[in-house]
Amino acid sequence: SSGIYAEYGYYITNNLSMVDAATKKTLAAIPLLKTKAGPRDKEEWPVRLKEEVTSLIKYIQNNKEADNDWLRIQSNKEGTRWFGKCWYIQEYKKYEFELEFDIPVTYPSTAPEIAIPELDGKTAKMYRGGKICLTEHFKPLWSRNAPKFGVAHALALGLGPWMAVEVPELIKRGVVVHKDDQPSGE
């Protein structure tokens, strides 16, 4: 279906079948951004950065309230480099990964490329350097919603679904092993 989906006073484009009802609800609760500015825009970037942080705080708060806490993230002072941890829980075991990305100079027109470096080369759905593959579904949605989408949206629509599909498969194949299950000496 197409059209506008609204909840909590925020609007998102609703015209991709890959966005399920739960994702729509999650997205609707993430504040949209208003300022179209990238890191090169010295005047407007601080305004955009404040919107990014506000949106991220709300997203993480919503996740905690829904018992879906799965990441911690922070940026450098300039807001151009982001890093943190994300995790996936399976069979009562927490698999934790470092995440990182830079804000592209063409941001917000171009989405950030989120990387989990320790998984580099362990799945076909990843580019060199551990950048997760999001082209098929995520990039068209991002381009239709830029500049309203920000870092929180990239995590909710990109990293979260990627981890939900890829990490269980990596665990099943034995490519990712829980720290408690690794042989001693590693």
Side-chain angles (χ1 to χ4, degrees):
S1 72
S2 65
I4 298 294
Y5 177 85
E7 188 172 325
Y8 310 112
Y10 303 111
Y11 301 90
I12 62 170
T13 302
N14 175 24
N15 54 4
L16 273 190
S17 59
M18 60 77 71
V19 180
D20 62 23
T23 304
K24 287 176 192 168
K25 184 173 179 170
T26 298
L27 281 175
I30 302 172
L32 296 174
L33 291 84
K34 297 175 180 76
T35 307
K36 183 178 182 178
R40 289 183 176 170
D41 186 334
K42 299 300 178 205
E43 297 222 356
E44 292 295 315
W45 178 242
V47 176
R48 172 73 184 205
L49 198 51
K50 185 175 180 181
E51 292 174 14
E52 293 282 0
V53 170
T54 300
S55 184
L56 269 167
I57 289 169
K58 183 64 177 166
Y59 175 57
I60 291 171
Q61 178 186 357
N62 293 344
N63 284 345
K64 286 181 179 182
E65 289 170 4
D67 197 24
N68 186 28
D69 188 25
W70 64 278
L71 74 105
R72 292 290 175 272
I73 190 166
Q74 62 188 43
S75 76
N76 64 1
K77 194 177 105 188
E78 299 79 22
T80 56
R81 178 128 182 92
W82 293 76
F83 49 93
K85 290 185 181 294
C86 56
W87 54 89
Y88 184 86
I89 298 174
Q90 181 169 306
E91 296 178 11
Y92 305 105
K93 293 181 180 179
K94 183 178 182 179
Y95 296 83
E96 195 168 77
F97 309 98
E98 300 284 329
L99 75 102
E100 64 184 37
F101 58 91
D102 294 319
I103 297 293
V105 293
T106 54
Y107 188 82
S109 298
T110 305
E113 294 183 320
I114 302 168
I116 303 176
E118 67 200 88
L119 296 181
D120 188 19
K122 295 185 177 186
T123 171
K125 294 185 179 151
M126 188 167 267
Y127 301 113
R128 184 175 300 172
K131 292 179 181 172
I132 64 174
C133 178
L134 297 172
T135 53
E136 189 176 318
H137 301 295
F138 175 74
K139 287 190 178 177
L141 187 60
W142 181 277
S143 64
R144 276 196 301 278
N145 288 283
K148 297 181 297 267
F149 278 5
V151 170
H153 299 88
L155 296 168
L157 280 172
L159 181 61
W162 185 92
M163 286 183 58
V165 170
E166 290 301 307
V167 174
E169 184 62 27
L170 293 169
I171 294 167
K172 182 179 166 185
R173 291 188 357 235
V175 176
V176 169
V177 178
H178 190 268
K179 63 185 177 200
D180 294 345
D181 298 334
Q182 292 177 353
S184 58
E186 284 190 26

